[in-house]
Amino acid sequence: MFVLTVDQQRSTSRGDAVPDLIGHLEPLVRRLPGVRLPLERTVGDEVQMVLTDPRSTLMIVLEILRVGGWWIGLGIGAVNDPLPEHSREASGPAFVRARAAVERAKTKAASVPLAVVGGGGAVERTADVEALLRLLGAIVERRTPHGWEVTDLLRPADVRTDGGGEPPLTQREIARILGISEQAVSQRVRTTLWAEEVAAWPLATRLLQEADTWDQA
């Protein structure tokens, strides 16, 4: 199981950003499988969700990093059944680890505000997960608005946040939509490292699944 505990950065100066984050992620959460408890406020400016699907977990993490302004803690492991209606009422090792992870994310010197905590036989695998997620996060955080114009149109339909259901478009179609040349689209794709990011999704998904499986062993 995967528990995300996400805490807002600089809440006193930014104001309450929880409703905006939940609203932004809602179309994506609605599309993704394996969401046991949806994203909701737990206390103050903190939100939490519970998932069973590793790819869905990856997509949510990357989208929160894209939004920016949040510390992300990912806890991997068991949760106590039955799950209650709200995550703030739930318990289990994964919740404890998510809390430890978000606190560690606040203190890490690295630029990507993300930490992952697992347990059991999954400690080494969890470190691999964290390293790869932080690398993907660095790509996402550095993508420019012009880069997102293109990559949003290249994204698979199930991980789009705009509610659209169209399949990924060709670069020619994207050029027509954006009113730029195909060469400009190709340049943006290369600059955004989109192909490299997508190529790493299966590895990240597999590592997440293995960390969860090994924790249960």
Side-chain angles (χ1 to χ4, degrees), residues 31-81:
R31 290 168 181 265
L32 292 174
V35 177
R36 289 290 303 274
L37 292 175
L39 196 71
E40 67 172 359
R41 188 193 300 269
T42 50
V43 60
D45 49 13
E46 180 182 278
V47 294
Q48 196 169 65
M49 72 183 303
V50 182
L51 306 100
T52 59
D53 186 87
R55 183 175 181 273
S56 297
T57 302
L58 172 65
M59 295 300 107
I60 293 293
V61 166
L62 293 180
E63 193 62 31
I64 295 172
L65 289 170
R66 172 184 179 175
V67 171
W70 298 87
W71 288 294
I72 303 172
L74 173 58
I76 303 176
V79 302
N80 294 336
D81 284 324

Side-chain angles (χ1 to χ4, degrees), residues 67-111:
V67 171
W70 298 87
W71 288 294
I72 303 172
L74 173 58
I76 303 176
V79 302
N80 294 336
D81 284 324
L83 275 175
E85 185 177 351
H86 302 286
S87 62
R88 61 180 175 270
E89 300 167 354
S91 60
F95 287 92
V96 175
R97 293 166 187 166
R99 166 59 52 199
V102 77
E103 293 303 323
R104 187 158 62 84
K106 297 177 183 180
T107 61
K108 288 181 71 68
S111 60

Side-chain angles (χ1 to χ4, degrees), residues 104-170:
R104 187 158 62 84
K106 297 177 183 180
T107 61
K108 288 181 71 68
S111 60
V112 178
L114 165 74
V116 184
V117 175
V123 174
E124 182 176 345
R125 186 61 48 156
T126 300
D128 294 341
V129 170
E130 181 178 281
L132 182 55
L133 291 188
R134 288 179 56 240
L135 182 60
L136 290 172
I139 293 174
V140 168
E141 287 188 329
R142 287 159 175 76
R143 191 165 290 153
T144 66
H146 279 165
W148 281 113
E149 278 186 334
V150 171
T151 57
D152 278 341
L153 294 172
L154 290 170
R155 291 166 71 88
D158 67 328
V159 294
R160 290 179 59 176
T161 58
D162 60 1
E166 300 83 0
L169 303 176
T170 66

Side-chain angles (χ1 to χ4, degrees), residues 132-207:
L132 182 55
L133 291 188
R134 288 179 56 240
L135 182 60
L136 290 172
I139 293 174
V140 168
E141 287 188 329
R142 287 159 175 76
R143 191 165 290 153
T144 66
H146 279 165
W148 281 113
E149 278 186 334
V150 171
T151 57
D152 278 341
L153 294 172
L154 290 170
R155 291 166 71 88
D158 67 328
V159 294
R160 290 179 59 176
T161 58
D162 60 1
E166 300 83 0
L169 303 176
T170 66
Q171 292 193 16
R172 176 175 295 181
E173 292 169 328
I174 292 172
R176 185 176 66 252
I177 291 170
L178 297 180
I180 59 179
S181 68
E182 288 186 55
Q183 291 80 5
V185 172
S186 179
Q187 178 60 44
R188 290 194 196 183
V189 172
R190 289 195 299 271
T191 302
T192 62
L193 300 178
W194 172 248
E196 290 77 8
E197 178 195 335
V198 173
W201 285 1
L203 174 59
T205 299
R206 185 168 71 250
L207 290 176

